[in-house]
Amino acid sequence: MILAIANNKGGVAKTTTAVNLSAALALRGKSVLLVDMDSQRSASLSLGIRNAPATLAGVLFKGAPAREAITDTTVQGLSLLPAHPELAGADIVLGAVKGRERILSRALAPVEAQYDFIILDSPPSLSLLVVNALAACRCFIVPTVPQYLALEGLSGFLRAVDQMRAGGIEAGALLGILFTAIDYRTRAAVEIAEMIRAHFGRDVFRTEIRVNTRLAEAPSFGQSIFQYDSHSTGAAAYIELAAEVLKRSRAI
């Protein structure tokens, strides 16, 4: 299954989720490829990959084979297709290409059968890269924090996906909305979380990722949360999320 982690709003733990969900699935014996689509290279850096000789930019812009850019990580069962700062210019480079919304899908097709899961860590925007991620994926997860502005962003993002479909671009199905960096010590967080659950119902994951300093620290060591602190509440939460993702994936 190709699974995109997407939200046009930044600061919602999208990369944290992409990296640690990928690692959690690998720990459960799944073969996983994480594709870093963000020019800031956050997912790559979070796994200790800084200067990869081949990257997603070469795959998308120059037609290089994806297999030549895929590298192993220190997490057994988890491979990475790293990002490059050049991805910031994707809209300009790919804007005039015929079938531009399916470039990623075509690039991943030769390697898709090698993995149980391909996780796409898309940038925080509604750019052509995000359109490619949504067009390539079977399902997508929307991480969000229980804050008013994040709620507005969530609604806007889901409307944008519907507009893609209305415009004739196929997009994956919503696998679930995930609460991240949730802090129930604030009244607003409680109220907005309840509001989102009431509105979206079963589309919201049962699993929640609470505020956890160990999750914030792990990327600076180039490690997943399981390598950095496998006994933390953050690690437990992503193990739980992986189980829920597997269950929902089987249903689809």
Side-chain angles (χ1 to χ4, degrees):
M1 173 176 281
I2 299 181
L3 177 62
I5 312 297
N7 192 329
N8 61 310
K9 188 180 187 309
V12 294
K14 182 175 55 57
T15 295
T16 298
T17 295
V19 169
N20 292 305
L21 173 59
S22 296
L25 289 169
L27 288 173
R28 292 179 67 97
K30 303 299 180 182
S31 177
V32 183
L33 171 64
L34 174 60
V35 181
D36 186 354
M37 301 182 65
D38 193 345
S39 62
Q40 298 181 58
R41 304 182 299 155
S42 297
S44 302
L45 295 172
S46 294
L47 290 170
I49 307 298
R50 294 187 173 274
N51 298 303
T55 70
L56 181 63
V59 173
L60 298 182
F61 299 167
K62 300 176 182 178
R67 68 175 64 88
E68 294 182 2
I70 294 172
T71 184
D72 293 333
T73 73
T74 55
V75 179
Q76 185 175 357
L78 174 59
S79 299
L80 174 72
L81 180 46
H84 190 279
E86 289 180 355
L87 290 172
D91 282 5
I92 297 173
V93 177
L94 303 177
V97 176
K98 185 177 180 180
R100 56 189 176 273
E101 71 279 356
R102 302 290 299 179
I103 294 173
L104 178 64
S105 181
R106 293 194 295 269
L108 293 177
V111 300
E112 185 175 350
Q114 300 175 24
Y115 301 97
D116 297 311
F117 280 88
I118 297 179
I119 308 292
L120 310 177
D121 182 28
S122 62
S125 66
L126 288 173
S127 66
L128 185 54
L129 285 176
V130 177
V131 172
N132 265 265
L134 292 170
C137 73
R138 178 66 181 85
C139 297
F140 63 94
I141 292 174
V142 185
T144 190
V145 293
Q147 299 171 359
Y148 173 73
L149 292 179
L151 173 58
E152 289 294 313
L154 169 64
S155 300
F157 179 76
L158 294 176
R159 284 195 300 270
V161 176
D162 288 339
Q163 290 169 357
M164 276 182 57
R165 297 188 181 110
I169 300 175
E170 294 183 9
L174 174 65
L175 189 68
I177 297 165
L178 174 68
F179 286 138
T180 61
I182 192 165
D183 186 353
Y184 281 125
R185 292 174 297 181
T186 65
R187 180 183 180 90
V190 174
E191 292 177 348
I192 293 175
E194 290 176 349
M195 187 187 311
I196 293 174
R197 286 197 179 278
H199 181 75
F200 290 100
R202 296 181 65 183
D203 283 336
V204 183
F205 281 103
R206 176 179 55 81
T207 304
E208 297 177 345
I209 311 299
R210 303 292 182 94
V211 170
N212 180 244
T213 57
R214 308 302 272 175
L215 284 171
E217 294 167 355
S220 64
F221 291 87
Q223 296 179 337
S224 73
I225 187 60
F226 305 104
Q227 297 163 296
Y228 184 65
D229 188 348
S230 61
H231 300 291
S232 65
T233 57
Y238 277 107
I239 286 291
E240 183 179 348
L241 176 64
E244 193 170 359
V245 164
L246 287 170
K247 182 177 180 180
R248 290 187 178 217
S249 299
R250 285 193 292 267
I252 290 174

